[in-house]
Amino acid sequence: RLRLHDGKLIKDRRYHLRTYPNCFVAKELTDWLIDHKEAPDRETGIRLMQKLMDHYIIHHVCDEHSDYKDAKLLYRFRKDDGTFPLSKDVKVFMRGQSLYEKLVSMEGSILKVREENSVKYQRSFVGCEMIDWLVQEGEVENRKEAVELGRVLLEHGIIQHVSNRHHFFDSDILYQFWTNFRRRRRLTELLNENSSRTLSESPDSPFCLRKLNPDPGNTSFLSVQTNKEIKIVSAVRRSSITSLAGNSNSYFNPTPTLVFPPVAECNPKSVLKRPITNEELLSPGAPYIKKTLTIVGDAVGWGFVVRGGRPCHIQAVDPGGPAAAAGMKVCQFVFSVNGMYVLHLDYQTISSLIMTGPRTLVMEVMEAIE
């Protein structure tokens, strides 16, 4: 966006006797993406801009087109017209970015390469020193507020304990900025992210259940509902995240060692006895109760699988994972995700909402009254 402003591609434009401030022509922007090596061809450029539309970064100036069209149509960055949705997640991200920029640009910064247990960590700092700095710089009013800020940053994945063993404390524990805000990113990285259509099958999906045992040859995962027989479903491990997480820790719950009775195969397509409609769920006097679950993801994920659509339901739950600890059960219906009503969505869209949201997940579910 800033580069387009500097290059005068974003400017006030007049069309049909009306002036549209701070906008760009889609066709000109596609040309610019190719000329500046941000996209190899027009098709890729269109896909990139569609990604930005899907994430509410840009929009048509009159909101008459929901798709990005490679034509002489006017679009605008939402930050340029005040319509960018400043959700809690976005505000936390922007606060983390502001603190990071301030820290790396100052002399004698507390942010530096530090070593612990013979391992060097980039962008690291000591918890109590960070709190001292926040108070001295007027970023917070007191140490308690500083701890609360640190915890929010950690829960949103912006900072972390160097080995994922602790939450944020006013102590001499070593933390690091997990997000490197100054890394130069290319737009094409957007297309390498998991799409909503493949989240459930992806090795990085937070819905994949943990292995029953650590043997590399065993690909079985546990899927159970409280007080029901243990079942086995096929899934994959979220190895790319696990490899960074280190050993088991006290803050992100490890999978406990359990002794299991003989297991039975289950149908992975559905656990529902019959299809349920939204009308049936929401009708007056329906035999369902609503529950709110707060799930703090661990190094592997949240530990559940969601399937179906309109409404979606919980297909499987890892009994040793965060979701089970929060009270999630098989056959519950997903009512909302982080405050967003989702009964009308399919499981791919809900998966995308959870995948792109904070580590601390707040879900409302509807459960049949027994």
Side-chain angles (χ1 to χ4, degrees):
R1 168 176 160 267
L2 296 177
R3 291 167 68 192
L4 294 175
H5 273 287
D6 291 340
K8 305 301 182 185
L9 262 75
I10 294 178
K11 59 185 178 182
D12 297 352
R13 298 175 186 269
R14 193 168 180 81
Y15 182 73
H16 284 181
L17 303 178
R18 180 178 173 182
T19 299
Y20 296 91
N22 292 322
C23 60
F24 59 87
V25 178
K27 191 175 186 302
E28 292 180 5
L29 180 55
T30 309
D31 294 336
W32 184 92
L33 291 172
I34 295 172
D35 292 343
H36 288 76
K37 312 299 182 184
E38 291 288 355
D41 49 53
R42 303 195 79 81
E43 180 185 356
T44 303
I46 294 168
R47 290 170 59 205
L48 286 169
M49 292 301 103
Q50 186 60 51
K51 273 275 191 179
L52 297 188
M53 287 197 74
D54 293 341
H55 287 280
Y56 303 99
I57 306 296
I58 64 175
H59 68 125
H60 181 256
V61 291
C62 297
D63 291 319
E64 293 178 354
H65 300 278
S66 58
D67 295 332
Y68 181 84
K69 301 182 184 299
D70 186 20
K72 291 184 178 181
L73 295 174
L74 300 180
Y75 292 82
R76 182 187 292 131
F77 279 84
R78 290 186 178 275
K79 272 198 171 184
D80 285 331
D81 63 10
T83 62
F84 184 69
L86 286 176
S87 64
K88 179 184 176 182
D89 297 337
V90 172
K91 289 178 180 177
V92 171
F93 183 88
M94 293 175 68
R95 183 71 186 277
Q97 183 178 27
S98 172
L99 293 174
Y100 182 85
E101 290 294 340
K102 192 171 181 179
L103 281 164
V104 298
S105 61
M106 64 184 297
E107 291 186 12
S109 173
I110 63 171
L111 217 58
K112 59 185 71 173
V113 178
R114 300 172 190 260
E115 185 173 321
E116 183 171 282
N117 297 328
S118 301
V119 178
K120 291 184 177 181
Y121 297 97
Q122 304 286 335
R123 307 178 300 279
S124 62
F125 58 91
V126 178
C128 57
E129 292 181 3
M130 172 63 82
I131 290 176
D132 291 340
W133 181 83
L134 289 170
V135 174
Q136 291 168 5
E137 294 295 317
E139 294 286 346
V140 295
E141 292 186 0
N142 51 56
R143 301 187 76 83
K144 180 181 178 181
E145 189 177 316
V147 172
E148 292 173 354
L149 173 59
R151 287 180 167 247
V152 169
L153 293 175
L154 187 144
E155 289 169 3
H156 282 74
I158 294 172
I159 66 172
Q160 67 169 19
H161 177 248
V162 290
S163 57
N164 272 339
R165 293 176 182 271
H166 302 285
H167 210 315
F168 186 78
F169 295 103
D170 185 359
S171 66
D172 58 357
I173 297 175
L174 189 61
Y175 300 89
Q176 68 178 154
F177 269 86
W178 183 240
T179 302
N180 181 3
F181 291 99
R182 286 199 169 184
R183 183 175 73 84
R184 178 66 181 229
R185 293 168 172 82
R186 300 194 67 83
L187 278 174
T188 48
E189 290 184 35
L190 287 171
L191 301 181
N192 295 328
E193 294 179 353
N194 297 320
S195 69
S196 60
R197 295 186 181 87
T198 59
L199 276 174
S200 58
E201 291 77 31
S202 165
D204 285 327
S205 171
F207 309 99
C208 295
L209 302 184
R210 266 74 61 90
K211 285 189 177 180
L212 209 58
N213 59 57
D215 295 339
N218 190 331
T219 58
S220 296
F221 291 77
L222 187 64
S223 167
V224 305
Q225 180 177 3
T226 306
N227 299 325
K228 292 198 175 182
E229 64 180 353
I230 296 176
K231 305 171 185 178
I232 293 294
V233 295
S234 177
V236 290
R237 188 175 178 84
R238 198 177 170 202
S239 56
S240 61
I241 299 298
T242 311
S243 62
L244 298 174
N247 298 325
S248 300
N249 54 73
S250 57
Y251 175 53
F252 299 115
N253 297 329
T255 305
T257 302
L258 300 174
V259 179
F260 299 105
V263 298
E265 294 292 329
C266 78
N267 178 3
K269 292 184 179 179
S270 179
V271 295
L272 300 179
K273 294 181 179 179
R274 63 179 180 84
I276 304 294
T277 65
N278 285 339
E279 291 74 18
E280 188 175 348
L281 275 178
L282 301 175
S283 61
Y288 297 94
I289 57 174
K290 189 188 297 183
K291 294 184 176 180
T292 301
L293 310 177
T294 301
I295 309 165
V296 180
D298 64 12
V300 183
W302 289 272
F304 68 94
V305 176
V306 62
R307 281 294 185 271
R310 306 175 183 88
C312 289
H313 63 276
I314 302 303
Q315 167 73 25
V317 180
D318 177 359
M328 180 174 284
K329 300 177 184 178
V330 172
C331 296
Q332 290 173 332
F333 295 94
V334 185
F335 183 86
S336 73
V337 173
N338 294 325
M340 180 177 178
Y341 174 79
V342 297
L343 278 182
H344 61 297
L345 301 178
D346 56 28
Y347 79 89
Q348 293 99 332
T349 305
I350 291 179
S351 298
S352 180
L353 285 173
I354 297 173
M355 192 75 169
T356 56
R359 177 174 286 166
T360 301
L361 172 64
V362 179
M363 290 179 64
E364 287 183 297
V365 296
M366 300 190 72
E367 178 182 311
I369 300 174
E370 296 181 359

